[in-house]
Amino acid sequence: MNSDKKEKKKEAVKKVIASMTVGKDVSALFPDVVNCMQTDNLELKKLVYLYLMNYAKSQPDMAIMAVNTFVKDCEDPNPLIRALAVRTMGCIRVDKITEYLCEPLRKCLKDEDPYVRKTAAVCVAKLHDINAQLVEDQGFLDTLKDLISDSNPMVVANAVAALSEIAESHPSSNLLDLNPQSINKLLTALNECTEWGQIFILDCLANYMPKDDREAQSICERVTPRLSHANSAVVLSAVKVLMKFMEMLSKDLDYYGTLLKKLAPPLVTLLSAEPELQYVALRNINLIVQKRPEILKHEMKVFFVKYNDPIYVKLEKLDIMIRLASQANIAQVLAELKEYATEVDVDFVRKAVRAIGRCAIKVEQSAERCVSTLLDLIQTKVNYVVQEAIVVIKDIFRKYPNKYESVIATLCENLDSLDEPEARAAMIWIVGEYAERIDNADELLESFLEGFHDESTQVQLQLLTAIVKLFLKKPTETQELVQQVLSLATQDSDNPDLRDRGYIYWRLLSTDPVAAKEVVLAEKPLISEETDLIEPTLLDELICYIGTLASVYHKPPSAFVEGSRGVVHKSLPPRSDSQPCCECALTPNPSHSLHPPPPPLLPPPVPLPVVPPVTPPLSPQMGGGSGSFAAAPSTTAPTNMGAPLGSGLGDLFDLTGGVGTLSGSYVAPKTVWLPAMKAKGLEISGTFSRQVGSISMDLVLTNKALQVMSDFAIQFNRNSFGLAPAAPLQVHAPLAPNQSVEISLPLNTVGSVMKMEPLNNLQVAVKNNIDVFYFSTLYPLHILFVEDGKMERQTFLATWKDIPNENETQFQIKDCSLNADAVSSKLQGSNIFTIAKRNVEGQDMLYQSLKLTNGIWVLAELRIQPSNPSFTVHPIPENKWRRVRR
Amino acid sequence: MRLRKMIHSLFLINCSGDIFLEKHWKSVVSQSVCDYFFEAQEKAIDVENVPPVISTPHHYLISIYRDKIFFVSVIQTEVPPLFVIEFLHRVADTFQDYFGECSETAIKDNVVIVYELLEEMLDNGFPLATESNILKELIKPPTILRSVVNSITGSSNVGDTLPTGQLSNIPWRRAGVKYTNNEAYFDVIEEIDAIIDKSGSTVFAEIQGVIDSCIKLSGMPDLSLSFMNPRLLDDVSFHPCIRFKRWESERVLSFIPPDGNFRLISYRVSSQNLVAIPVYVKHMISFKENTSSGRFDVTIGPKQNMGKTVEGVVMTVHMPKAVLNMNLTATQGSYTFDPVTKVLTWDVGKITPQKLPNLKGIVNLQSGAPKPEENPSLNIQFKIQQLAISGLKVNRLDMYGEKYKPFKGVKYITKAGKFQVRT
């Protein structure tokens, strides 16, 4: 490599690169390779650049040696070399180098050659990723915005791409300030730039909110030609823009119909591409047919499964077939599904059988046909086909009760071959539900009872319910059987769900058989095809993400993408005819779409009217009322870990107000939790505190009623950290009207745990001699910070490094004028410990640790800028609340 | 620090699971990330069934399978997966174009060029130059002659001037193209995708057509291609060079072509009555209960073939697992049965209507195995020269902008695409 001959040098560097490509570490050669950089041979230069990009990070000091050559190359008369130099510099993620990059970059952004300008535009995005502050200070963002008006479409496209990327990490900033003028420029550039540029521009257009339906239509008109592009990513991005803006067009408009027609062919064409592309296209089509079934309603046949499609394509096609099934095409669909049920792939066959059941539920007219198809399949005696068929027939019974019971006999013939829990449970459900029409129902159920303890929970529960149903229908002959199952469930089982259900039945049957009948044999809600549709607000959000990973996973990006805390939730624009005022179209989507409610769940096979799991004997304090602690509805929406933490820390820093004491942790002033209006005169206000290791709930009970209150008791619902009262609520004397009493209720964290939304939500029930009252409150998280939350310095360093990026969140705390030491001691009062402190360029950095009662560590970095009295906090929950083993 | 980048890294993996090339556009991602891919591959059993999008705790893996190579890209943020998949296919196309084949050996032999190409194609996740015309100006493809010359003169295979097409409004064409013989060829290639049910009626059929072009014309020719029956083309995807407005208004393909080989348009004809099915298959495949054997009898014949010869006929059948071997006689061509993969291949050749090709005989099952439930599908391949089955016909080609008279040619061919007959 140190040879004088250019050729030899080049060969040597090539060999180094070749080793690099197979993953060998050749970083030891760094100085020698860098020496070859000063050359006028372009190929050699490129090779050295390639090498530099790979290894500069591990050898930052050496990389500095290369800076001069870079700066010189940025002035080279050859635009190719200028562009290459600025591009490579941007890829070297070494802080020291970025400082030298600014001047050359500024020149290149204004270079006379568009090739250099477009390369420089991308470089701004790279630099922003390394040092965002620098980019803002240097004014590069404004230069980038100016490039949107560049005369060259490639430069425009790259500027848009760079700005979109930067904007993603700054959701609040108004970087891509889209207005009709800039939109017009983008649309012009759209026609002229490369396919990749078109994707960037289309994705950017999709974020624009047209001011009225006229503007929406004119944008749509200019985007539709993209549907004929050969690049499928361009097509899908165009589909996204159209699907979104279509929402604003009135359905009566001729253009609306035209647009619908234009959307079908490109979507179908995507299905003739390579299987990988087909897969992504199908996942998106699945969303589109749910949103606008009319687009593809005549294209059923293109979703017919080909024998040699990869399995992932087959399963997606099947799903879309069901969504498109209607009375008009059901015959064809059923014939296809029956064909698929004889294929080789077991997973696919199972799904095909289930699909037949879904057809029956979706298209009422086809139910009979579906049932007979299923019976045909049962006749094949192929084990897994029979089992799937029985599972779906159960659903058909639930949709069309008392219609197809004639097939029960055939089903019973296959009883012995069922070995999967789901199929067994389905069969038992059928027997129980129609016990009065099956002569030997008791024998059938008894046969299952023999191996009761070897069955899965699903089957056990089902068997218990089925026998109880049987007993209620034919009480005389089945007394013994029901006794047997109840004792199996309550005495011999250690499964709490089973035991509870057993006890409930037992109690019901022994106290009030009539009520038991009403409960157990109650009329069940019918199931409908809606159960497998995506919930509408989520669907609308996903439509805005057509073509992205979100559309493949059918989840909003906030649910799974790393570092998505900045993700802005998108929503479809309102339809213009329903929303005449323009301002409405511009208001951001309401926050309730952040956490869409979970899709309606299937009603449980046995509809137990909301009976909570209460185990007899009932708790004495609560006076044995039946189900006084009805389980509060829980949501399954994804929890944003940042939010509760944020509020908790915000409170801590709210040091000006409140009764913060230096010795103990911060205590918020009491607030009213339960107004007297809602609790027949009982008003409860309170707060939480933590003192020397014990948590307490400080309550003030006020009697605003006219009668005396007594017999107080309190209970908590299950919550995220298992908070529970450590002692009963002690109110010694009865509470006279207009009297208050202050109580400090000690709490512990050994109660049952259930994740709440928000995380720090606590649902409380309070009882007195008048009634039971419910309220919910949010507890500050810092009451859970334990005293031994000071992490070892070494452990801290090691853990800090290992924290994955996605666990990092940060926010600012404004208007807090304390110095580092005061902060440190204040925080220590709340068990947030300072592990290290350092001063970087005039900023005080504090490294903090804290531990929660359940053993989760949170590490944080505090940056205190003296000039600007604000704090930057990076709480870093360990790997999504991964527990650290101690 | 979050990393925002479309394609973070690329790994090339062969069928036996060796990573034989890796390229990182930013920091190095450890090879161990591919373990998730291998896991999925193992689960999928068949290489073709590996899901194209796999999520891992910190990354997404988006992959394509081309020419026995997995192109696995590592993604860290929300990206359009189609964008990535399209790009990966473009990378594979480029290798094919440069090395004549996209194979592990070819890539390993040209590893430095591959690296230079990848660097040129993507910058910070933004595709840079993916047009073969532009790439070839930046990095010259390897030829035996050039490598000999290079080693003597010390010149390089990296171009040192800015590619001319890169920033013009027609990025697909370079300036200064010169040929002694000016020629323009168009191949109209149509593939029939069809599912025929056991009774012989068509469940589904459509035509996937493309017009591939080979244009060797000097200067900046401006071409117009018109059809006798442009109405057939209602679902089309165009090469970026085509002027969409002209097509919308006049149904004429007007364009300044790229230099060399490229796909001008692809189209789809789906309306059932336009899709002729050029062959029929008579079949009888049955398994007898308890005898461990079955019968196989298949005849292929021509129909709706517009008087042209159906040739290159090959039938492949995936037989059920229980099949041990097959004892067949072919009246024409030869057959093979692979007892491991259970694939029966019958290379029929040309169909002569006077004597229809037939393959029949005995199927032996594993003794004691139950009668197979599934009905094997017959996959048929064939070719018909000088025919576009949709009836599409080129009317004329006009050239503007240049003075010379080019040689023009159009060729038609119809093939079977995914053509399957259920039994």
Side-chain angles (χ1 to χ4, degrees), chain A residues 211-420:
Chain A
K211 62 180 188 304
D212 54 28
D213 53 338
R214 296 248 308 276
E215 194 187 5
Q217 176 173 346
S218 90
I219 295 175
C220 286
E221 279 166 358
R222 293 177 70 177
V223 166
T224 31
R226 298 301 118 207
L227 293 175
S228 301
H229 202 285
N231 184 321
S232 60
V234 175
V235 174
L236 204 56
S237 289
V239 168
K240 165 163 61 188
V241 176
L242 296 174
M243 282 294 285
K244 208 177 160 189
F245 290 2
M246 231 175 151
E247 198 69 12
M248 293 185 70
L249 302 177
S250 155
K251 285 197 173 170
D252 314 326
L253 224 59
D254 285 346
Y255 183 70
Y256 181 86
T258 321
L259 202 51
L260 274 185
K261 269 196 212 111
K262 280 194 172 162
L263 276 169
L267 288 173
V268 173
T269 301
L270 291 177
L271 299 183
S272 52
E274 288 82 1
E276 301 93 2
L277 296 168
Q278 280 188 46
Y279 170 73
V280 177
L282 285 165
R283 291 296 284 171
N284 281 285
I285 289 173
N286 199 326
L287 296 174
I288 292 168
V289 296
Q290 287 185 62
K291 179 73 189 163
R292 297 193 185 281
E294 61 271 35
I295 294 177
L296 288 167
K297 68 178 174 201
H298 298 305
E299 301 288 349
M300 172 62 91
K301 285 190 173 180
V302 298
F303 299 103
F304 284 0
V305 172
K306 288 176 188 126
Y307 144 83
N308 43 6
D309 282 334
I311 183 74
Y312 55 82
V313 168
K314 284 183 176 175
L315 295 176
E316 286 308 314
K317 281 187 171 174
L318 200 55
D319 210 43
I320 294 172
M321 279 173 68
I322 311 293
R323 300 209 189 282
L324 288 176
S326 66
Q327 203 185 341
N329 56 26
I330 194 75
Q332 270 182 331
V333 174
L334 272 181
E336 279 296 302
L337 292 176
K338 200 176 167 188
E339 194 68 44
Y340 304 159
T342 61
E343 278 223 28
V344 191
D345 191 298
V346 177
D347 282 343
F348 180 59
V349 170
R350 283 173 184 274
K351 197 148 182 201
V353 177
R354 293 229 168 183
I356 297 175
R358 279 169 65 188
C359 279
I361 289 162
K362 183 164 186 212
V363 186
E364 185 161 1
Q365 295 83 352
S366 76
E368 196 160 346
R369 257 226 205 72
C370 294
V371 172
S372 77
T373 308
L374 288 168
L375 284 180
D376 287 352
L377 291 172
I378 289 177
Q379 298 306 341
T380 64
K381 303 277 178 199
V382 178
N383 189 280
Y384 51 86
V385 174
V386 173
Q387 311 214 38
E388 288 297 323
I390 287 182
V391 172
V392 298
I393 286 180
K394 176 206 71 187
D395 286 343
I396 295 176
F397 281 175
R398 284 176 50 202
K399 168 81 180 179
Y400 310 108
N402 306 320
K403 230 173 150 185
Y404 299 109
E405 285 71 42
S406 52
V407 308
I408 292 177
T410 322
L411 303 184
C412 291
E413 287 165 19
N414 293 284
L415 213 60
D416 299 332
S417 64
L418 308 179
D419 53 11
E420 289 164 21

Side-chain angles (χ1 to χ4, degrees), chain A residues 789-846:
Chain A
K790 185 157 186 162
M791 198 179 247
E792 286 247 11
R793 211 183 155 99
Q794 287 307 319
T795 328
F796 184 93
L797 279 173
T799 324
W800 184 268
K801 276 192 210 134
D802 288 341
I803 293 167
N805 297 323
E806 89 271 27
N807 286 353
E808 193 177 321
T809 49
Q810 58 172 280
F811 37 83
Q812 287 212 342
I813 295 159
K814 293 249 157 65
D815 302 315
C816 187
S817 49
L818 289 171
N819 66 23
D821 291 333
V823 167
S824 178
S825 75
K826 287 250 179 206
L827 289 176
Q828 176 132 13
S830 292
N831 293 338
I832 304 171
F833 300 93
T834 305
I835 305 302
K837 180 185 154 187
R838 75 193 165 112
N839 188 294
V840 182
E841 294 160 358
Q843 293 186 7
D844 275 323
M845 313 278 279
L846 290 179

Side-chain angles (χ1 to χ4, degrees), chain A residues 846-884:
Chain A
L846 290 179
Y847 292 88
Q848 307 282 133
S849 82
L850 63 91
K851 194 171 91 172
L852 293 165
T853 47
N854 55 2
I856 291 169
W857 286 90
V858 178
L859 311 184
E861 177 190 65
L862 280 162
R863 192 180 302 147
I864 305 165
Q865 288 161 304
S867 54
N868 171 18
S870 72
F871 293 70
T872 314
V873 186
H874 309 245
I876 298 163
E878 286 244 20
N879 191 13
K880 283 236 166 181
W881 305 82
R882 172 179 20 132
R883 277 155 213 264
V884 177

Side-chain angles (χ1 to χ4, degrees), chain A residues 8-25:
Chain A
K8 280 207 169 146
K9 266 190 185 175
K10 200 157 77 188
E11 282 314 308
V13 177
K14 275 190 179 174
K15 288 214 170 93
V16 173
I17 300 274
S19 320
M20 194 169 85
T21 57
V22 288
K24 278 189 199 141
D25 183 9

Side-chain angles (χ1 to χ4, degrees), chain A residues 503-566:
Chain A
Y503 276 126
I504 291 166
Y505 285 148
W506 203 324
R507 190 172 278 244
L508 270 171
L509 291 174
S510 55
T511 53
D512 190 351
V514 180
K517 216 165 190 168
E518 270 166 25
V519 170
V520 180
L521 301 179
E523 199 151 315
K524 284 159 277 294
L526 298 182
I527 56 171
S528 72
E529 58 128 347
E530 253 114 71
T531 46
D532 51 39
L533 292 180
I534 295 178
E535 192 272 329
T537 48
L538 176 61
L539 180 62
D540 282 358
E541 191 183 351
L542 288 176
I543 290 288
C544 303
Y545 288 107
I546 284 177
T548 65
L549 276 173
S551 70
V552 173
Y553 284 99
H554 290 184
K555 286 180 195 159
S558 51
F560 65 95
V561 174
E562 293 201 355
S564 62
R565 70 195 125 94

